[in-house]
Amino acid sequence: SGGKSNVASGEFSSVTGGAKNLASGTHSSVSGGSGNIAEGEGSAIMGGMDNLAEGGHSSISGGEGNDATGTLSSISGGELNIASGSYSSISGGYTSEASGKHSSVSGGSGNTASGLMSSVSGGGTNQATGWASSVSGGYQNKARGESKNSDGNSVEDYTSISGGLNNEAEGRYASVCGGSTNRATGEYSNIAAGSGNSAEGEGSAIIGGMDNVAE
């Protein structure tokens, strides 16, 4: 071990630099930074400040106040992010959470990827809650979904929002490209742009305009 006031208390753990770091998990490691804690078995923190790697084989590359709690979860940087889903990842940004299994948040602030294999690329306060749902950017957008097959089992939603403000995609394979306050609730429905539009019918589409309804 090196650095100052570091502790490697876990079996086969190591701290190679930095200050006030703790490697308490078995086979855990902290390479540098300050105030970092590698608690999970096989967890690793490369640097940054006040980061916590709790999940088994979780990793944090840098940033500040990040928490990787999921098994094999990872955080590359940013501040106050949480990767709680198994195999989840956060690349950067601020106060975002990837809680779904295999979910990811690339950046932005206050974003949430809670659906299985869901993703949020950026923007602010976006939510991807459906299975395999995605939000590319914008603000306060929600890609939802609770699709089920004829047997009542959950299936992939594939809802997507490219950007805009306060848009929602709920129907299976539904998508909203942009605009504001648009809702695509029908299966395979799409809204390209505009404001206050609602695509409710299966395969319905709205190109733009305001307060249109496609049933």
Side-chain angles (χ1 to χ4, degrees), residues 152-168:
N153 298 317
S154 296
V155 293
E156 298 92 334
D157 296 296
Y158 294 116
T159 55
S160 65
I161 298 177
S162 300
L165 170 66
N166 197 30
N167 295 307
E168 295 186 20

Side-chain angles (χ1 to χ4, degrees), residues 1 4-5 12 22 33 37 41 53-54 76 82-83 104-105 108 119 127 138 150 164 186 191-192 202 205 211 214:
S1 298
K4 181 180 179 180
S5 302
F12 306 113
L22 170 63
I37 301 174
E41 180 178 357
E54 293 184 78
S76 300
I82 300 172
S104 65
V105 176
S119 65
Q127 297 178 24
S150 58
I191 299 176
E202 181 176 348
D211 299 327

Side-chain angles (χ1 to χ4, degrees), residues 163-191:
L165 170 66
N166 197 30
N167 295 307
E168 295 186 20
E170 276 189 53
R172 193 175 186 207
Y173 295 101
S175 62
V176 178
C177 299
S180 63
T181 325
N182 295 307
R183 295 189 70 221
T185 58
E187 191 170 357
Y188 297 99
S189 63
N190 170 260
I191 299 176

Side-chain angles (χ1 to χ4, degrees), residues 87-188:
Y87 307 98
S88 64
S89 65
I90 296 179
S91 301
Y94 179 75
T95 62
S96 292
E97 181 171 5
S99 58
K101 188 175 183 180
H102 294 287
S103 65
S104 65
V105 176
S106 300
S109 63
N111 295 311
T112 302
S114 59
L116 176 65
M117 297 187 293
S118 63
S119 65
V120 178
S121 300
T125 326
N126 295 307
Q127 297 178 24
T129 61
W131 184 352
S133 63
S134 65
V135 178
S136 299
Y139 187 68
Q140 291 183 340
N141 297 305
K142 300 177 179 66
R144 308 178 188 270
E146 296 181 357
S147 302
K148 298 182 183 297
N149 60 19
S150 58
D151 297 322
N153 298 317
S154 296
V155 293
E156 298 92 334
D157 296 296
Y158 294 116
T159 55
S160 65
I161 298 177
S162 300
L165 170 66
N166 197 30
N167 295 307
E168 295 186 20
E170 276 189 53
R172 193 175 186 207
Y173 295 101
S175 62
V176 178
C177 299
S180 63
T181 325
N182 295 307
R183 295 189 70 221
T185 58
E187 191 170 357
Y188 297 99

Side-chain angles (χ1 to χ4, degrees), residues 10-99:
E11 189 174 11
F12 306 113
S13 65
S14 65
V15 179
T16 53
K20 297 181 180 180
N21 296 306
L22 170 63
S24 59
T26 303
H27 294 287
S28 64
S29 65
V30 178
S31 301
S34 64
N36 297 307
I37 301 174
E39 187 176 289
E41 180 178 357
S43 62
I45 297 178
M46 283 59 123
M49 180 183 297
D50 298 327
N51 296 306
L52 174 62
E54 293 184 78
H57 302 284
S58 62
S59 64
I60 298 177
S61 300
E64 181 177 356
N66 297 307
D67 194 350
T69 64
T71 301
L72 289 165
S73 62
S74 65
I75 298 177
S76 300
E79 186 176 356
L80 300 175
N81 296 305
I82 300 172
S84 56
S86 299
Y87 307 98
S88 64
S89 65
I90 296 179
S91 301
Y94 179 75
T95 62
S96 292
E97 181 171 5
S99 58

